Amino acid sequence: MKKQLCFAIAALYAGSFLYAQNGDPKITEVWNPEPRIVTPGQTSADPPSDAIVLFDGSDLSNWEKADGKGAAAWKVENKAMTVVKGSGAIRTKQSFGDCQLHIEWRTPAVVKGDGQGRGNSGIFLMSNYELQVLDGYKNRTYSNGQAGSIYKQLIPLANASRKPGEWQTYDVIFTAPRFNKDSTLKSQGRITVIHNGVLVQNNAAILGATQYIGIPTNTFHKEKEPLILQDHGNPVSFRNIWVRELE
Ligand code: MG
C-alpha cells in the first residue's frame, strides 16, 4: 500500500513537471524593457556609438591640470599623449560615476629604474581610486602595487603585462561607492579590470581612496568626479580613451 502511494505521488510530480515543460513557451518570454541599440566599434579598441571619447589622439581638449590650474601640459604626438615629468597629473573636464572605461597605455621601451620607479602612472577613478599603471614585465614590486592592482588594496589575479614599449589595454567596469546623507559610506565601490584580455580584478570591492601611506579612507565625495591620470615622473603614454556612463 505504502509503495503504491509513493508511486502515485511520484507520478503526480512527473505529470506536473511534464505539463510545465510542455506548456506555453511564451509564459517565460520577457519583452520589456527592450535593450537600446549601441553600435559597437570595428574592434574592441574603437568607441561604441554611445561612448564619450576622452582622447582620440588629436588633442587634450577634454583634459586639464588635476589641480585645476590651467591646461593639461602633456605631450601629444603620434596619436598618443605622454606624461611630461613635473607638469602634473591631468583630469577630465567631465565627471563620471558608474562607468565602463577603455584605456590603452604604454610604458617606455627604454627601461629605466626598477620596481615602482619603472613606467609608473595610474588611473584614478573618481579622482580617488588608483588602478595602477606600471611596467610589470619582469619587474617585481609589492603585489598590491603592480600593474592591474588597485594600489595598495587589491592584488591583481594575474600578471598580464606586455613588454616595455608595447601598447596595453585596460577595460574597466566600475561601480562608484555610495554615501549616506550623513556622509558615511553606504556601499563600497566595485571594480572589474581586464588587462590585455585577461581578467585581473573580478568585481572586487574597493576599500577606499588610495593612500600612499596608511590605510584607505572613505571620505565623502560627489556622485560623479573627474578621472585623473598620474604624473609619476615617467614618460608613460596613453591613447584610445573612452568611457560609457552606466545607469
Ligand atoms: Mg601609479
Side-chain angles (χ1 to χ4, degrees):
M1 187 63 191
K2 210 172 179 183
K3 213 175 191 177
Q4 281 168 327
L5 192 69
C6 285
F7 181 76
I9 290 167
L12 213 63
Y13 265 109
S16 61
F17 177 73
L18 282 171
Y19 178 79
Q21 293 305 305
N22 294 328
D24 186 352
K26 288 191 171 8
I27 291 170
T28 45
E29 292 178 2
V30 178
W31 286 68
N32 285 298
E34 182 186 2
R36 65 198 169 81
I37 292 169
V38 175
T39 308
Q42 290 296 309
T43 71
S44 59
D46 294 336
S49 59
D50 64 346
I52 297 163
V53 176
L54 296 173
F55 179 68
D56 66 0
S58 54
D59 59 50
L60 296 175
S61 56
N62 296 316
W63 301 80
E64 61 189 8
K65 283 184 189 281
D67 60 9
K69 293 177 180 167
W74 291 13
K75 187 171 67 179
V76 177
E77 62 180 12
N78 301 324
K79 297 220 145 217
M81 61 158 97
T82 301
V83 175
V84 173
K85 184 177 180 178
S87 68
I90 63 172
R91 72 181 180 198
T92 53
K93 291 177 181 173
Q94 192 172 342
S95 293
F96 304 98
D98 297 354
C99 66
Q100 175 186 348
L101 170 71
H102 175 89
I103 187 165
E104 300 176 20
W105 53 276
R106 182 185 62 191
T107 62
V110 178
V111 172
K112 281 185 188 165
D114 55 17
Q116 293 289 314
R118 185 170 140 184
N120 194 333
S121 183
I123 299 155
F124 283 74
L125 291 138
M126 301 194 89
S127 306
N128 275 287
Y129 313 103
E130 184 184 9
L131 167 56
Q132 176 69 308
V133 169
L134 192 74
D135 180 353
Y137 186 80
K138 296 183 180 173
N139 179 34
R140 189 79 176 106
T141 184
Y142 39 95
S143 300
N144 63 355
Q146 69 183 68
S149 68
I150 303 306
Y151 186 72
K152 285 193 170 170
Q153 296 185 32
L154 302 171
I155 297 169
L157 301 171
N159 181 349
S161 299
R162 294 195 200 280
K163 291 177 183 170
E166 294 184 10
W167 281 104
Q168 312 201 40
T169 60
Y170 277 155
D171 284 286
V172 178
I173 297 151
F174 175 75
T175 304
R178 265 57 171 177
F179 293 92
N180 296 306
K181 278 182 182 160
D182 66 358
S183 299
T184 56
L185 186 72
K186 186 176 182 184
S187 60
Q188 289 172 286
R190 302 197 80 94
I191 191 162
T192 296
V193 180
I194 296 170
H195 181 194
N196 298 327
V198 177
L199 182 70
V200 295
Q201 298 291 347
N202 185 10
N203 195 31
I206 293 170
L207 304 179
T210 298
Q211 304 296 329
Y212 178 49
I213 298 170
I215 57 168
T217 54
N218 278 296
T219 309
F220 175 86
H221 57 69
K222 286 186 249 173
E223 283 179 21
K224 294 186 178 185
E225 295 282 357
L227 187 75
I228 289 180
L229 300 181
Q230 185 183 44
D231 169 11
H232 202 280
N234 303 142
V236 174
S237 301
F238 294 89
R239 71 176 184 188
N240 290 338
I241 310 172
W242 50 261
V243 65
R244 294 182 63 241
E245 294 194 283
L246 304 176
E247 317 223 323

